[in-house]
Amino acid sequence: MKRQWTTIIALVLVILIAAFAVMNTELVPVNFAFAVASWPLIMVILGSLLIGALIAVLISTGTIMHDRKEIKQLKKEIEASKSKQQEEISQIHKEHEKELSEKNNQIQQLKAQLTATDAQTVKID
């Protein structure tokens, strides 16, 4: 459906341009600084339009290329940041595992002391 609308709009634009061309057929002088030529007005208008479009494309191409380069650089920075973040998470995880292991050892020692204390208490009774 989108393609049909594009085709319809393109046909309408072609018809409008053709009607505009038929209405602007008189010759106008065009001064090129070193020569003067007489061209139909529609050719001058379309030529100006094409030159303007070409300039716009060239300027936007430069901007697009700059933006793509910046996006690529930012993606690299994001990946580096993610990698660094994963390393930091891994390091913190290792530290917590070490602390947890130490705490488990302390708990085991305290349980052993408690068992020994209970055994002494039973002997005394």
Side-chain angles (χ1 to χ4, degrees), residues 24-30 32 36-45 47-48:
N24 292 293
T25 58
E26 62 269 359
L27 295 176
V28 293
V30 179
F32 292 106
V36 175
S38 292
W39 287 358
L41 181 59
I42 189 65
M43 295 302 289
V44 173
I45 293 171
S48 299

Side-chain angles (χ1 to χ4, degrees), residues 80-93:
S81 177
K82 283 181 180 179
S83 175
K84 184 178 177 183
Q85 184 182 27
Q86 287 297 329
E87 289 174 10
E88 289 175 354
I89 289 171
S90 177
Q91 182 66 27
I92 290 170
H93 185 46

Side-chain angles (χ1 to χ4, degrees), residues 84-124:
K84 184 178 177 183
Q85 184 182 27
Q86 287 297 329
E87 289 174 10
E88 289 175 354
I89 289 171
S90 177
Q91 182 66 27
I92 290 170
H93 185 46
K94 286 178 184 178
E95 290 172 4
H96 284 163
E97 287 293 323
K98 184 179 177 183
E99 288 177 14
L100 182 61
S101 177
E102 289 173 1
K103 295 294 182 184
N104 282 336
N105 287 339
Q106 288 176 358
I107 290 171
Q108 292 300 325
Q109 289 173 357
L110 290 173
K111 282 183 179 180
Q113 287 175 358
L114 183 61
T115 304
T117 306
D118 281 346
Q120 288 177 353
T121 307
V122 170
K123 285 182 183 178
I124 295 175

Side-chain angles (χ1 to χ4, degrees), residues 14-79:
V14 167
I15 291 170
L16 288 174
I17 291 171
F20 187 70
V22 169
M23 292 186 299
N24 292 293
T25 58
E26 62 269 359
L27 295 176
V28 293
V30 179
N31 188 353
F32 292 106
F34 54 85
V36 175
S38 292
W39 287 358
L41 181 59
I42 189 65
M43 295 302 289
V44 173
I45 293 171
L46 290 177
S48 299
L49 176 72
L50 289 175
I51 290 171
L54 180 64
I55 290 170
V57 166
L58 290 174
I59 290 172
S60 67
T61 301
T63 304
I64 289 170
M65 296 303 261
H66 179 266
D67 289 346
R68 284 184 182 171
K69 183 179 178 182
E70 186 177 356
I71 288 169
K72 190 175 182 180
Q73 179 184 2
L74 290 173
K75 283 182 179 180
K76 285 181 182 179
E77 289 176 14
I78 288 170
E79 289 301 319

